[in-house]
Amino acid sequence: MAFSWKRRPSIGGTSLSSPIIAGIMALADQAAGHPHGFVNPLLYSLAGTSSFTDIVSPVSPVTVVRANYVNSVDPSAGTAYALRTMNQTLSLQTTSGYDDVTGLGTPTKTFLSALSH
């Protein structure tokens, strides 16, 4: 059976972003010709630059319907739907500069070049 995004609608969040960022950092290591190691100080030095798109609160609520497999593996046991409203929780808020939801923001096309030296 071939993998299909349509067969795995519950992929996302840190389960998706962590391996993507790990891959981006592998590309940054390769471009720099050395491993970056503990990269946090470098990332924070890039905060507020064109290396990140700062994610801020939407003007009005953003809501999506998320489909989840009942058995967490495939649709054989059915699909349950949940309404998710973004940035409407009491504990996590998206704010300018840094937040628990998006960290420093989304890496941009200049991110790799900023880490390449």
Side-chain angles (χ1 to χ4, degrees):
M1 172 183 334
F3 180 84
S4 167
W5 285 104
K6 291 181 180 181
R7 302 184 75 80
R8 295 295 311 258
S10 61
I11 292 175
T14 54
S15 298
L16 179 60
S17 63
S18 293
I20 288 174
I21 293 298
I24 291 171
M25 286 309 303
L27 293 172
D29 289 353
Q30 184 177 29
H34 61 80
H36 285 85
F38 183 65
V39 74
N40 289 17
L42 179 56
L43 294 181
Y44 283 108
S45 74
L46 296 174
T49 70
S50 63
S51 294
F52 292 102
T53 298
D54 189 16
I55 307 300
V56 296
S57 292
V59 179
S60 59
V62 175
T63 306
V64 297
V65 175
R66 180 170 166 158
N68 296 303
Y69 296 141
V70 173
N71 65 8
S72 300
V73 177
D74 60 43
S76 64
T79 307
Y81 296 90
L83 185 64
R84 299 245 173 129
T85 304
M86 309 302 174
N87 205 40
Q88 299 295 312
T89 68
L90 298 175
S91 61
L92 298 174
Q93 294 294 311
T94 303
T95 59
S96 182
Y98 181 86
D99 52 79
D100 292 334
V101 179
T102 62
L104 294 172
T106 303
T108 66
K109 63 182 178 181
T110 63
F111 182 80
L112 283 179
S113 62
L115 270 69
S116 66
H117 20 17

